[in-house]
Amino acid sequence: GVALAAACPLVLVSADAWFALPERDLGMFPSGVLAFLEPLIGPRRALEFGLTGARIDAVTAQRLGLANEVVPGVMDHALRSWLDLLLADVLVTSSAAAAWRTRFSTDEFRARKAVLDALLVAADGRQL
């Protein structure tokens, strides 16, 4: 879920949502997720998040940059507002989506992700 949220350009979460990286409890460091998470919340916070396996609540996720909006109650109104905005000018929305995707297509991103992916090793030494 954290990787998906980090990769999405718009993330709306309910007020009772929480995020965690449970890999730590499985004896792994979530290095693959860090490539997506680091640009949003910073390398130190991402490392801390991966090392501790701590849960962060919706408000913290928004403050860190993992979520755009925390929606109290029912999501319908917030979703409708975003949908209306996105459909109001499809050219702007399309350009914004393309701009967001470019962050994953740079040589720097690919190189960083490759290094982090290589670190995915289980506690018993098996490559994951």
Side-chain angles (χ1 to χ4, degrees):
V2 172
L4 183 61
C8 288
L10 294 172
V11 177
L12 280 65
V13 298
S14 67
D16 60 349
W18 55 271
F19 296 86
L21 295 170
E23 291 87 344
R24 184 186 189 290
D25 295 337
L26 300 172
M28 298 179 292
F29 182 73
S31 54
V33 176
L34 291 186
F36 297 95
L37 198 55
E38 284 178 346
L40 292 176
I41 70 173
R44 287 189 175 125
R45 287 282 187 209
L47 180 65
E48 175 187 353
F49 196 23
L51 285 172
T52 64
R55 287 173 44 155
I56 60 171
D57 62 23
V59 172
T60 303
Q62 183 183 27
R63 181 178 50 80
L64 291 175
L66 189 57
N68 296 81
E69 183 177 345
V70 176
V71 179
V74 180
M75 277 275 180
D76 292 355
H77 179 69
L79 290 173
R80 173 51 64 188
S81 294
W82 276 103
L83 184 60
D84 290 345
L85 176 73
L86 295 173
L87 293 176
D89 192 332
V90 177
L91 181 59
V92 170
T93 300
S94 176
S95 296
W100 180 262
R101 282 190 305 272
T102 63
R103 49 182 291 243
F104 304 120
S105 61
T106 65
D107 290 338
E108 180 182 355
F109 176 83
R110 282 193 213 106
R112 179 71 175 142
K113 182 155 182 359
V115 167
L116 291 170
D117 285 345
L119 297 175
L120 284 173
V121 177
D124 64 6
R126 289 177 296 128
Q127 184 71 29
L128 301 175

